[in-house]
Each structure stands twice: as structure tokens, then as C-alpha cells.
Amino acid sequence: MLILAIESSCDETSVAVVRDGREVLSNVVASQIEIHKLYGGVVPEIASRAHTEALSGCTSEALEKAEVTLDDIDAIAVTNCPGLIGALLTGLSFAKGLAYSAKKPLIPVHHIRGHVAANYLAFPELKPPFNALVVSGGHTSILGVDSYTDYRTIGYTRDDAAGEALDKAARVLGMPYPGGAAMDKMALEGDKTKIKFSVSHVDGAPYDFSFSGLKTSVINHVHTLEMKNIELSDDVKKDIAASFMSALVKTVTTRIEVLLENEKRPLVLAGGVAASKNLRMGLEEICKKYGVELYLPPLKYCGDNAAMIGAQAYYEYQNGNVADLDLNAFATAAADKLPK
Ligand code: KG4
Ligand code: ZN
């Protein structure tokens, strides 16, 4: 089955052609980072406009690269939740138009389920059940993936996502948006014991996360240095980055350690922050200690892309999840309960 998939939930316009949920024939990603960099973060209105401009060209390119025509496509898949509502609506409207005019079924896909499915593209042997750790710019959660379409929320963030804290920490250190990757790299060169950023806990909820305290701590730390006229030299920045990343990784690994104490399912990492070397190393250590298999997605499928949406769409379709043209977009939606 050939699926044409469309992703436009944040600041990447992406269109892909995927065969049987596992084989990527094309995956075109048009990033808007250069536009949003000017503002230090994603500007929703600008994102919507840029998606509208890019969708048609990305679709032609995805078909061309896959060496297929729209006639060869069996279904159109689209991310309809969660994300920036205007951005989601551009992709959804475009997908509806395509599905209607080409008379193809329309498959709605939850963005987070897509991030998890990115791993199916790299690991042919990977099948549920497993647990997934999703760490991205907008989401941080631990999910029980009981089947391809049965999700259970084990833990979620009560405030900011890990990537949000990471990007704001990077911004206060003067790195351009989104600074996650630069921060991660810098952290490898610093001394992580220099500053004691605390690791948060949520009372009575061992799997839930909180990153807003860590975000505020790093911002306050930098402002205090500035007030004391202490120069933010490269060495100072490296130590802040290393100490910050160490606290962020520990926040995640302490939860995973509790999980692995109780359940020995394989662990699948997903989301933009899955590209973090520091996080990968932390998880490798824990999973090795507990003898649990760890799946780390290839870097090209960590960030937002449509191939991962095409992968999940195949299994949604098998499960009968096909939408009518009145399908809506939703800014928020839990991965275990698809909105209607
Ligand atoms: O999944 P994603 O592309 O978008 C959302 O769905 O949110 O995640 C974007 C996040 C940003 O916070 C970005 O800074 C972070 O992923 N990121 C990284 C790396 N590459 C991207 N964080 C740490 N290390 C990286 N190499
Ligand atoms: Zn994402």
C-alpha cells in the first residue's frame, strides 16, 4: 500500500511517500527555521503562511522523487493533531483537497504516534508491545504502546516540554532558534558538575515530568551572571550547557529507571530531542543496566517529517481509522485518545 503523507504541525512542511508503513520512497522536508530564527521562536501566523506556500511544491517533489504519480497512491495521510492549529489546518485542508479530487481515502494521524512510528522505518523487526519515550519541542511523555494503535499514557509533562526548556536555555546563552542541537553539542565540552541545577519530581506521580523549574533556573543563573558583570565566555557557556543537559537527562532517566524496575519492555525513543547525544548516552547506560533493548531513531527521522506520519498511517488504516471530509484539526490531543 502506497501512502502519501503530509505533515505541517509546527515549523516543517513535509510530504512523503511510504510503502506499507516501513519503506520510505521519498521524504521532502521544507524547514522554516531560517524564517523563525529572526524572532527567536516559531511565529504561528508566519508558519501557517509558509506551509501554504510550500505544500504544493513539496507534494510534487515527493511524488517525483518516489517516481510515482497521484494515481499510484492508495491513500492520503495527514497530521491532524496536536500542534499549532493554523499550521495543522493548512496541511489538513490541502490533504482533504487531494483526497477529494483524487478519490483516495483520508487517514488522520496523531503527530506523537508519528514520532514513535519513525522507528518502524529504521527497525524492520520492531513491533509493539513496547514503551516509548517521546521528547520533543512541544511534548514529553512516556507511552505504553500495546499495539500499533493502542496507546496508554504512563507519564506526561505537567508544564513545559524538555525541548522548550532546552530551546529557551539555548536562547539565553545567545544561540539562534532552535538551539537544542547547539546546546547538546556544547554540553559535551563543559563540566557538568559546575552548576547544580535540580532534578524535578512530581509528588505521587513517578512518571510525570516538570521542566519549567529547570528552564527558570538556567535563565535566572545567566541573568545573575550578567548582573554581576561576569562575562559569558565560551567556557562559562559550556559549563552551563553541560550542567543543564545533565539535569535534563537525569530528569528523564530517573523516570525511565523506575519504569524499568517495574517492566522490562523494550524502550523506543522518539521526537526532536531524541537527536541529543547526551540523552542517548544516558538512556543507553540505564537500558544496559536493566538489560532492556533500546531503539534510537536515526537522526533524519527524529525531527518533524512526513515519512513517520506515513508509517503510522499504514497501521491506522489497517485499524479502520479513515476520516470523512469533515475531519477537524486539534491543537491538543493525547496520544491514547484520538479526538473526534
Ligand atoms: O519533534 P520536533 O522536531 O518538534 C516538535 O514536535 O516539537 O522537536 C523539536 C525539538 C527542539 O526543541 C529542538 O531544539 C530539539 O528538538 N532538537 C534537539 C536536537 N535536534 C533538535 N535537541 C537536542 N539535541 C539535538 N541534536
Ligand atoms: Zn514533532
Side-chain angles (χ1 to χ4, degrees), residues 1-5 14-29 58-70 72-75 121 300-301 305-311:
M1 179 182 193
L2 273 190
I3 294 179
L4 180 100
S14 182
V15 183
V17 178
V18 180
R19 179 178 284 135
D20 296 338
R22 296 277 177 167
E23 189 192 344
V24 182
L25 302 193
S26 65
N27 185 29
V28 176
V29 183
C58 286
T59 303
S60 307
E61 197 180 331
L63 289 168
E64 210 170 287
K65 283 199 167 140
E67 296 181 0
V68 296
T69 67
L70 198 51
D72 303 318
I73 297 294
D74 298 299
L121 300 170
K300 65 177 171 180
Y301 295 136
N305 67 88
M308 68 186 199
I309 302 303

Side-chain angles (χ1 to χ4, degrees), residues 7 9-10 111-112 115 136-139 271-272 302-305 308:
E7 156 65 38
S9 66
C10 190
H111 183 75
I112 298 303
H115 271 301
S136 77
H139 311 272
C302 286
D304 290 346
N305 67 88
M308 68 186 199

Side-chain angles (χ1 to χ4, degrees), residues 140-253:
T140 305
S141 51
I142 303 172
L143 302 165
V145 184
D146 298 333
S147 81
Y148 287 109
T149 51
D150 286 315
Y151 273 64
R152 216 169 6 94
T153 299
I154 296 172
Y156 64 99
T157 181
R158 298 292 185 99
D159 41 55
D160 289 326
E164 156 68 16
L166 186 50
D167 290 345
K168 291 299 178 318
R171 186 161 88 176
V172 80
L173 289 177
M175 299 170 199
Y177 170 85
M183 197 60 187
D184 190 57
K185 201 163 160 232
M186 199 176 239
L188 294 169
E189 296 167 25
D191 176 358
K192 65 180 179 192
T193 63
K194 263 283 162 59
I195 306 134
K196 290 265 170 296
F197 290 122
S198 58
V199 174
S200 63
H201 296 280
V202 181
D203 258 0
Y207 300 123
D208 285 357
F209 301 93
S210 167
F211 288 102
S212 68
L214 179 60
K215 179 172 97 172
T216 311
S217 301
V218 69
I219 294 171
N220 286 348
H221 183 82
V222 173
H223 287 168
T224 306
L225 294 182
E226 283 167 354
M227 279 190 291
K228 289 182 180 167
N229 280 326
I230 297 173
E231 194 207 341
L232 271 182
S233 65
D234 277 354
D235 283 341
V236 170
K237 285 186 189 176
K238 282 175 191 170
D239 291 343
I240 296 173
S243 304
F244 173 87
M245 280 311 290
S246 166
L248 185 142
V249 170
K250 211 148 181 224
T251 305
V252 175
T253 53

